[in-house]
Amino acid sequence: INMNLKDLERANILVQCIKVLETLSKIDIEYLNVKYKNGMYDSIFMKDELKEGTQKAFEYYADELKAELKDLGFYYE
């Protein structure tokens, strides 16, 4: 494989992001701490439906990044 440094750096970032997303998809998130555009903070309780949807979103995004990684010539397992 002929690869330039830019692609190798991108592949490294993708692997790191995939690891984080896979971890987030497997943990049970109870609350989210959020910051609104006006600077105020809040804590949001995650209901079961929202938890499941969030976990699926993390899984989906990880799969998207794996596809991008594959396009660079790497396979993530």
Side-chain angles (χ1 to χ4, degrees), residues 17-29:
C17 290
I18 292 167
K19 287 180 180 181
V20 169
L21 290 166
E22 286 185 338
T23 299
L24 289 171
S25 73
K26 295 174 185 169
I27 62 175
D28 191 22
I29 300 171

Side-chain angles (χ1 to χ4, degrees), residues 18 21-22 25 52-68:
I18 292 167
L21 290 166
E22 286 185 338
S25 73
E52 291 172 13
T54 303
Q55 289 171 330
K56 287 180 183 178
F58 288 139
E59 291 171 4
Y60 175 79
Y61 189 40
D63 290 342
E64 291 290 314
L65 295 183
K66 287 177 188 177
E68 184 180 340

Side-chain angles (χ1 to χ4, degrees), residues 2-20:
N2 240 351
M3 182 170 293
N4 62 38
L5 185 57
K6 182 180 176 183
D7 288 345
L8 189 57
E9 288 173 345
R10 179 66 183 155
N12 184 42
I13 290 169
L14 289 171
V15 168
Q16 291 174 23
C17 290
I18 292 167
K19 287 180 180 181
V20 169

Side-chain angles (χ1 to χ4, degrees), residues 37-69:
K37 288 183 179 183
N38 65 6
M40 295 190 63
Y41 289 89
D42 198 0
S43 183
I44 299 173
F45 177 73
M46 299 283 285
K47 294 183 180 180
D48 289 340
E49 297 84 15
L50 187 56
K51 282 184 199 180
E52 291 172 13
T54 303
Q55 289 171 330
K56 287 180 183 178
F58 288 139
E59 291 171 4
Y60 175 79
Y61 189 40
D63 290 342
E64 291 290 314
L65 295 183
K66 287 177 188 177
E68 184 180 340
L69 190 61

